Amino acid sequence: MAAMGRASSGLAYPDRFYAAATYAGFSGSPNSSSVTSKFSNDGALLLYALYQQATVGPCTIPKPRAWSPVEQSKWTSWNGLGSMASIEAMRLFVKILEEEDPGWYSRVSNFTPDPIVDVEMNHNQKTELPTKNEVTLPETKIIPTENGNSVDKDVVVEGLGSVGVYDQWVAPTVSGPRPKPRYEHAAAVVDDKMYIFGGNHNGRYLNDLQTLDLRTWTWSKAEVKANSDVPATVTPCAGHSLIPWEGNKLISIAGHTKDPSEVVNVKAFDLQTHTWSTMKTYGKPPVSRGGQSATLVGSSLVIFGGQDGKRTLLNDLHILDFETMTWDEIDTIGDSPSPRSDHAAAVHAERYLLIFGGGTHATCFNDLHVLDLKTMEWSTPSQQGEIPSPRAGHAGVTVGESWFIVGGGDNKSGVSETVVLNMSTLSWSVVTTVEGRVPLASEGLSLVLSSYNGEDVLVSFGGYNGRYNNEVNLLKPSHKSTLQATRSGTPALDSGSGAQNATNGTRDVELDFEAGQEAKIREIGMDNNEPQSTEVNEVSEHFVTALKAEKEELESALSNEKSQSLQLKQELIEAESKNTDLYKELQSVRGQLAAEQSRCFKLEVDVAELRQKLQTVDTLQKELEILQRQKAASEEAFAKQRQTSGGVWGWLAGTPPPTEKS
């Protein structure tokens, strides 16, 4: 049992490599027959080269001239690895061993890690390698399951541990203050830390930001500071999406709130300054919603479906370009998915958007829809294998071409099985099944992808299955669950690069190159019965030359992409600067226009007053004319009276008025 523990597949490097090397037959014999008897010629040659690279380093031995064809093939294979790092050679050695013999760790009890000596390449020259001490037996923990049973699981204890079993959910031991139980929260991984934001607890929306260190399995509450744009406490929400961006930001988008806005809001949390900010967007943003899917494709975020503030289900498609922060509403062709929320989405080969499941207020779905992001055409392909039951509120992440789906429910009970879809063949299979009402059979849980010692790990948190949960569970997908479907079946979609989504960890260009390099290195042939060494050597050198040329092309392409990215960022900064200047100028013009409008209003008032005064002058003029006519009439009457009466003085003197003569 001790030997079994030492060779456990859960061992950390370099112990895991040495256990694998012992099993493979690299145990001191210069020409170990066990190596060639266990593996094909190609496999044995590649394992030899990787073993040499891991234990000795890059090949410095001169090219053989008088050796046998086998020795020349060994030298060519080893030399073709160039300056590959020792730890990478170790990992590639173990991976090739698992491909050649997937059950090696279950049969490793027949081997013990004796001191390892280099396989002799020249019978006249021996090189001794450093001796590796015995590998320590990992600690075994008894991890209780949710239904009350207990299962023995090997756990490698490094810090607070990493689960060493495949295709089984395990609850790790965590420390620190646990977050409040919740569901419909959002999660993302940045720099080996899982961030949990918001969610729903007992019908109340949350706005806290929690952090789980995936190295030490320690919980802590993230420090949040206020700034001029957004206070330290942002609006509580649930059913939103959390996207890692640029390595130091978490972007929260959409979500249900107590007082919903009219359109989708985009907020960003800076992991360096610990502040929230509202991101300004352009174009026509989507209507406010929650329960949507948000899938990152390159630098664009694809938003589909959800439910708005009036509980109306949606099936519209919008894209937010993170480089320009511009929204576009996309018109698609074909039969689009019916309106739904709480579905899962993933992208395959950077071209195909997959939508699975989701539900309405009364119905759950298990249909699969595919959108070609180049032609914007929907299709409903035929699903193969063990098609999952209808569900909503599930979570998913992609590992290469495999899409893992966990949890969810059908309005009656939680879904107990963890399933995986091969996105090339569209074939489903069941990875594992849990029993009882456990957090993994919940709606509204989160699922993220992390890595440990070069291996992928799925991490789930929270959910609701009759009670609110705050438990963490881990699953390490096996070589079989991620690659078996790829090796068989006719591809249903064009093959391409690995899938990527809002919760995925991305692979850099160097890892992609190494994967391609690994596949091509395996093509280097070795035939122990082939007498013509020149032909073998020429073929090997041809592949090595091709590999080096491809590496140079990839490095050149990467350099060009980085240069273009820097140029685009500079242009974006300049455009933003111009936009700021134009905005200031627009504000100035608006101010001037407002002043002119005010002056015009005053002039209009003055004109109205003058018109009123003018009307008054006309009235006075008419009254003056009347008075003048009255005066003239009075004067005329007075003059006549004076003529007839002799005047005033005659009247005063008593002179009688003259009499008219007949």
Side-chain angles (χ1 to χ4, degrees):
M1 292 300 295
M4 178 70 177
R6 288 193 296 270
S8 169
S9 63
L11 287 174
Y13 291 95
D15 296 341
R16 185 176 174 191
F17 162 75
Y18 284 106
T22 300
Y23 172 79
F26 294 97
S27 56
S29 175
N31 294 296
S32 177
S33 61
S34 62
V35 178
T36 56
S37 63
K38 291 179 183 177
F39 310 107
S40 64
N41 290 336
D42 290 351
L45 175 62
L46 186 56
L47 287 174
Y48 169 82
L50 291 170
Y51 176 81
Q52 294 293 99
Q53 191 79 8
T55 56
V56 179
C59 179
T60 57
I61 300 174
K63 182 177 180 180
R65 297 185 180 276
W67 293 351
S68 69
V70 175
E71 299 300 332
Q72 290 199 15
S73 297
K74 287 182 178 181
W75 182 90
T76 303
S77 181
W78 182 15
N79 187 65
L81 296 179
S83 58
M84 177 184 291
S86 174
I87 187 64
E88 294 302 325
M90 290 181 180
R91 290 175 176 170
L92 191 54
F93 182 97
V94 175
K95 185 174 182 180
I96 297 301
L97 177 60
E98 290 178 349
E99 289 183 355
E100 296 286 343
D101 188 356
W104 71 273
Y105 51 84
S106 65
R107 295 186 291 273
V108 76
S109 56
N110 297 326
F111 299 89
T112 55
D114 298 327
I116 299 173
V117 181
D118 183 21
V119 177
E120 186 179 19
M121 292 183 62
N122 187 343
H123 296 292
N124 299 322
Q125 178 181 358
K126 294 184 179 181
T127 304
E128 295 185 356
L129 300 180
T131 301
K132 177 64 185 173
N133 295 329
E134 184 178 11
V135 182
T136 305
L137 177 68
E139 177 183 343
T140 300
K141 290 186 178 180
I142 306 299
I143 302 179
T145 59
E146 292 295 326
N147 61 357
N149 297 327
S150 296
V151 180
D152 291 340
K153 296 187 182 294
D154 290 337
V155 178
V156 178
V157 180
E158 294 183 11
L160 289 182
S162 171
V163 179
V165 295
Y166 289 93
D167 294 338
Q168 294 293 330
W169 286 103
V170 179
T173 302
V174 297
S175 60
R178 290 197 177 195
K180 185 177 295 185
R182 67 194 66 198
Y183 83 121
E184 290 187 340
H185 52 278
V189 172
V190 178
D191 293 337
D192 296 321
K193 291 183 179 180
M194 180 175 71
Y195 293 87
I196 302 293
F197 173 62
N200 188 323
H201 174 76
N202 290 335
R204 298 195 176 202
Y205 296 141
L206 306 174
N207 64 349
D208 56 333
L209 182 63
Q210 304 284 343
T211 304
L212 176 64
D213 191 315
L214 299 177
R215 293 292 183 183
T216 63
W217 302 108
T218 303
W219 280 108
S220 62
K221 186 174 182 180
E223 179 186 7
V224 180
K225 301 178 181 178
N227 62 16
S228 58
D229 183 20
V230 178
T233 56
V234 294
T235 303
C237 60
H240 51 289
S241 303
L242 194 65
I243 312 297
W245 184 245
E246 294 183 342
N248 62 348
K249 287 185 176 63
L250 295 172
I251 296 180
S252 174
I253 188 166
H256 298 298
T257 58
K258 183 178 180 180
D259 298 314
S261 58
E262 293 183 359
V263 297
V264 165
N265 290 323
V266 182
K267 296 184 181 297
F269 183 76
D270 193 310
L271 297 173
Q272 295 178 346
T273 62
H274 303 284
T275 57
W276 284 101
S277 61
T278 300
M279 302 188 72
K280 185 177 181 180
T281 61
Y282 304 91
K284 182 182 179 182
V287 64
S288 178
R289 66 190 65 199
Q292 72 290 328
S293 62
T295 311
L296 190 62
V297 184
S299 62
S300 297
L301 191 67
V302 182
I303 304 291
F304 173 78
Q307 178 179 279
D308 66 13
K310 299 179 181 179
R311 300 196 66 200
T312 301
L313 293 166
L314 308 168
N315 66 342
D316 51 346
L317 188 77
H318 300 262
I319 294 180
L320 175 61
D321 188 333
F322 277 160
E323 296 292 340
T324 62
M325 294 307 295
T326 303
W327 283 105
D328 284 321
E329 183 174 5
I330 307 301
D331 294 326
T332 61
I333 59 177
D335 295 329
S336 60
S338 59
R340 65 189 64 197
S341 67
D342 299 326
H343 50 279
V347 64
H348 173 59
E350 295 294 313
R351 175 172 177 176
Y352 301 100
L353 178 72
L354 284 73
I355 302 292
F356 171 72
T360 64
H361 303 304
T363 306
C364 293
F365 307 115
N366 66 341
D367 50 353
L368 178 67
H369 299 265
V370 177
L371 175 66
D372 189 327
L373 294 172
K374 287 188 177 180
T375 63
M376 290 300 169
E377 180 177 5
W378 285 104
S379 62
T380 308
S382 175
Q383 304 179 62
Q384 308 296 326
E386 304 174 69
I387 300 176
S389 59
R391 67 195 64 193
H394 46 288
V397 295
T398 57
V399 182
E401 293 190 347
S402 300
W403 186 17
F404 290 85
I405 300 292
V406 179
D410 58 1
N411 293 328
K412 296 179 182 178
S413 61
V415 178
S416 59
E417 71 266 18
T418 298
V419 297
V420 60
L421 173 71
N422 181 278
M423 293 186 290
S424 290
T425 63
L426 296 183
S427 178
W428 291 98
S429 59
V430 176
V431 178
T432 186
T433 302
V434 296
E435 297 181 0
R437 182 173 287 185
V438 297
L440 290 163
S442 299
E443 296 183 26
L445 75 169
S446 62
L447 185 68
V448 298
L449 176 67
S450 184
S451 63
Y452 194 83
N453 281 343
E455 292 187 301
D456 296 310
V457 178
L458 310 186
V459 185
S460 74
F461 171 77
Y464 178 79
N465 59 356
R467 69 180 182 89
Y468 296 90
N469 299 299
N470 64 347
E471 297 186 16
V472 177
N473 289 279
L474 311 177
L475 181 142
K476 184 162 61 175
S478 68
H479 176 77
K480 177 180 178 181
S481 65
T482 55
L483 292 181
Q484 183 178 23
T486 305
R487 292 183 174 182
S488 62
T490 302
L493 299 176
D494 294 342
S495 61
S497 60
Q500 175 185 18
N501 76 7
T503 57
N504 278 14
T506 57
R507 310 293 184 195
D508 56 21
V509 175
E510 288 78 8
L511 289 179
D512 290 339
F513 168 73
E514 289 173 8
Q517 184 185 46
E518 170 194 350
K520 284 188 167 58
I521 289 176
R522 297 190 64 194
E523 297 177 6
I524 301 176
M526 181 184 75
D527 188 351
N528 292 335
N529 299 322
E530 177 62 54
Q532 298 186 9
S533 62
T534 304
E535 182 179 352
V536 175
N537 191 29
E538 290 178 353
V539 173
S540 300
E541 289 183 350
H542 170 73
F543 282 110
V544 171
T545 304
L547 284 176
K548 291 182 178 179
E550 183 177 355
K551 179 181 178 181
E552 292 177 356
E553 291 178 1
L554 287 173
E555 290 177 345
S556 177
L558 178 60
S559 177
N560 292 336
E561 289 295 331
K562 288 182 178 180
S563 176
Q564 292 180 4
S565 178
L566 291 175
Q567 183 178 356
L568 289 175
K569 286 184 178 180
Q570 184 63 32
E571 292 177 356
L572 179 61
I573 293 174
E574 294 177 357
E576 289 177 348
S577 176
K578 291 180 181 179
N579 182 61
T580 302
D581 295 339
L582 290 174
Y583 181 76
K584 291 180 180 179
E585 185 177 350
L586 177 60
Q587 291 296 101
S588 176
V589 172
R590 285 178 176 174
Q592 295 176 7
L593 179 60
E596 290 297 324
Q597 288 177 341
S598 176
R599 192 169 68 87
C600 289
F601 177 75
K602 291 181 180 180
L603 290 175
E604 289 177 355
V605 172
D606 293 341
V607 169
E609 291 178 352
L610 290 174
R611 285 178 178 174
Q612 186 175 5
K613 290 180 180 180
L614 182 60
Q615 291 177 354
T616 304
V617 169
D618 292 340
T619 303
L620 292 175
Q621 184 68 31
K622 291 179 181 179
E623 291 179 356
L624 179 60
E625 290 177 355
I626 293 173
L627 291 175
Q628 287 177 347
R629 286 197 296 271
Q630 290 177 352
K631 179 181 178 183
S634 298
E635 289 178 349
E636 183 178 356
F638 182 75
K640 288 181 179 180
Q641 184 178 2
R642 184 177 181 184
Q643 289 177 358
T644 57
S645 61
V648 176
W649 297 108
W651 179 76
L652 291 175
T655 303
T659 59
E660 294 182 358
K661 293 180 180 182
S662 57

